[in-house]
Amino acid sequence: MEESMSEIPPKEPQEERIRLEERLRLEERLRLEFLLEERLRLEELLEERLEEERLVVFLKLRIIVFWFTALLVVCLTVLLVVCLAVL
């Protein structure tokens, strides 16, 4: 009879263990929620950064096209003047 009594753990430690497990699950859930929110925030920042990079590339391409066009116009004008001078 004494042996069977000693095998059964008292209720208080078991209840304490259950509370501790619940607390750990809650902490884990809160940590995961925080990590999820942080990930979403970082994804938004990354998207903003990518949009800025796209804009910079687009503006650089426009500048290159502008200068190429200006150079082409100057070259064609010089060619036209030379051709008219020869005639």
Side-chain angles (χ1 to χ4, degrees):
M1 187 92 169
E2 275 184 42
E3 279 184 25
S4 66
M5 293 287 277
S6 65
E7 289 178 8
I8 300 175
K11 281 195 162 192
E12 282 185 20
Q14 186 176 8
E15 289 175 1
E16 182 66 29
R17 187 177 59 96
I18 291 171
R19 280 196 299 265
L20 181 60
E21 287 174 354
E22 287 175 358
R23 187 172 139 227
L24 289 174
R25 280 193 297 267
L26 177 62
E27 288 175 357
E28 180 69 15
R29 192 181 89 214
L30 291 174
R31 187 180 69 82
L32 290 174
E33 286 176 5
F34 170 77
L35 290 174
L36 179 61
E37 289 174 7
E38 189 67 16
R39 178 180 174 191
L40 292 174
R41 186 183 69 80
L42 290 173
E43 285 177 353
E44 288 175 6
L45 287 173
L46 180 61
E47 285 203 21
E48 289 175 10
R49 176 73 177 169
L50 287 173
E51 186 62 34
E52 290 172 2
E53 288 294 323
R54 282 188 208 114
L55 183 60
V56 167
V57 168
F58 177 72
L59 291 175
K60 285 180 180 179
L61 285 174
R62 285 190 64 180
I63 290 170
I64 290 170
V65 167
F66 170 77
W67 284 109
F68 179 75
T69 305
L71 183 61
L72 185 61
V73 167
V74 168
C75 289
L76 290 176
T77 304
V78 169
L79 184 61
L80 179 62
V81 169
V82 168
C83 286
L84 289 175
V86 169
L87 294 176

